[in-house]
């Protein structure tokens, strides 16, 4: 399989490249400066992207650049998009000319699979509870995405009324048994799955540090302070978890791990392989092409290298 990888040098892109090459696939690294790869500037004209896409089996956008025209530029070549911005994914869906997978990665992505695995019926309310570790150094695109939520309204919330990010919250018990405050956040599973399943999906975010979660809630009420997010210290662990819960039945599906970028990269690489293996799906989500069990399997810790005993 030949993959054109946009953003190959980033925190997530480097994991995607490693995973695909480990599976024996060929990866063309693409970026503004890509020695030995493809020089593609997504902020400029997209003709170079169109030419490069034609020679590959799949295009993966891990660049953090959100241009709906990308879907038109890649033409019939399958596109895998890791963005978590619901409004952008909506626009991308409308521009698709070939197979497009919306929201590969952790949230959405793994969260989409967990929600789909719930036994739900029309009219149910589903909560997606996300914890991201504060010890991980995220790339500029991830920090900018979180800062962009501050003061912004959630895209097409199930309530049908304006809801601002991080202004509301719930206190819930996570997979580790600890009670935490989760703040309402614009992760887009309600856009990707809500209408088709006729369920109201609400997503919430907590950080590995309770103090930083409280600070995020405070910044949400003074959006001018959003720049402070980029200067926040990286305290705590890299642990993350995702929980999907049906309010009516109490059923929960959950997953835990360490390293958000690592998990997102592994899941996206798996999604890229499955999109090529199962062509002709049009616009899809992770739940359309990847099974929950295989997604969880790909997140299991890598085995430690065998010790060199010096014998033989």
């Amino acid at each position: 399989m030949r993959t054109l990888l946009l953003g190959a040098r980033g925190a997530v892109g480097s994991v995607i490249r490693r995973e695909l090459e480990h599976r024996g696939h060929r990866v063309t690294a693409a970026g503004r400066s890509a020695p030995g790869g493809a020089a593609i500037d997504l902020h400029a004209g997209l003709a170079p992207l169109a030419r490069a896409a034609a020679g590959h089996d799949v295009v993966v956008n891990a660049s953090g650049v959100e241009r709906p025209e990308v879907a038109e530029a890649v033409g019939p070549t399958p596109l895998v998009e890791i963005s978590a911005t619901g409004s952008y994914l909506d626009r991308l869906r409308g521009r698709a000319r070939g197979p497009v997978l919306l929201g590969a990665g952790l949230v959405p992505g793994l969260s989409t699979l967990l929600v789909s695995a719930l036994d739900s019926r029309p009219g149910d309310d589903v909560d997606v509870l996300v914890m991201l570790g504060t010890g991980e150094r995220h790339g500029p695109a991830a920090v900018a995405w979180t800062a962009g939520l501050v003061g912004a309204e959630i895209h097409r919330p199930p309530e049908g009324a304006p809801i601002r990010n991080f202004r509301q919250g719930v206190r819930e018990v996570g997979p580790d048994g600890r009670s935490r405050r989760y703040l309402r956040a614009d992760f887009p599973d309600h856009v990707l799955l809500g209408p088709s399943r006729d369920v109201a999906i609400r997503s919430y975010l907590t950080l590995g540090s309770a103090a930083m979660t409280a600070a995020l809630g405070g910044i949400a009420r003074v959006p001018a302070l959003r720049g402070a997010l980029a200067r926040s210290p990286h305290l705590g662990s890299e642990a993350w978890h995702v929980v999907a819960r049906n309010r009516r039945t109490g059923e929960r599906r959950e997953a835990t791990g360490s390293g958000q970028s690592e998990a997102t990269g592994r899941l996206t690489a798996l999604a890229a392989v499955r999109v090529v293996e199962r062509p002709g799906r049009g616009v899809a989500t992770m739940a359309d092409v990847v099974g929950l069990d295989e997604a969880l399997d790909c997140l299991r810790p890598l085995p430690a290298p065998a010790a060199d005993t010096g014998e033989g």
Side-chain angles (χ1 to χ4, degrees), residues 158-191:
E159 291 90 343
I163 304 290
R164 292 193 180 276
N165 286 290
F166 312 138
R167 295 284 188 89
Q168 302 176 359
V170 294
R171 180 161 290 277
E172 297 291 344
V173 175
D176 58 359
R178 290 179 56 188
S179 175
R180 293 180 174 86
R181 182 155 179 82
Y182 295 78
L183 304 175
R184 186 74 180 274
D186 197 6
F187 293 110
D189 279 313
H190 65 284
V191 174

Side-chain angles (χ1 to χ4, degrees), residues 45-142:
L46 296 180
L49 172 60
R51 290 192 295 268
H56 291 80
D57 299 305
V58 63
V59 176
V60 177
N61 185 15
S63 68
V65 178
E66 298 180 342
R67 285 189 66 181
E69 299 89 345
V70 166
E72 296 175 333
V74 302
T77 305
L79 171 66
V80 176
E81 172 60 68
I82 74 167
S83 170
T85 304
S87 57
Y88 166 63
L89 296 180
D90 253 354
R91 297 195 304 273
L92 193 67
R93 177 171 18 211
R95 297 291 190 97
R97 293 171 53 197
V100 175
L101 191 151
L102 302 176
L106 194 61
V107 187
L110 181 60
S111 61
T112 314
L113 291 167
L114 294 171
V115 172
S116 297
L118 292 174
D119 183 11
S120 60
R121 66 189 187 192
D124 279 352
D125 293 285
V126 171
D127 293 329
V128 176
L129 309 172
V130 181
M131 185 189 81
L132 299 180
T134 47
E136 182 170 356
R137 291 185 176 274
H138 301 289

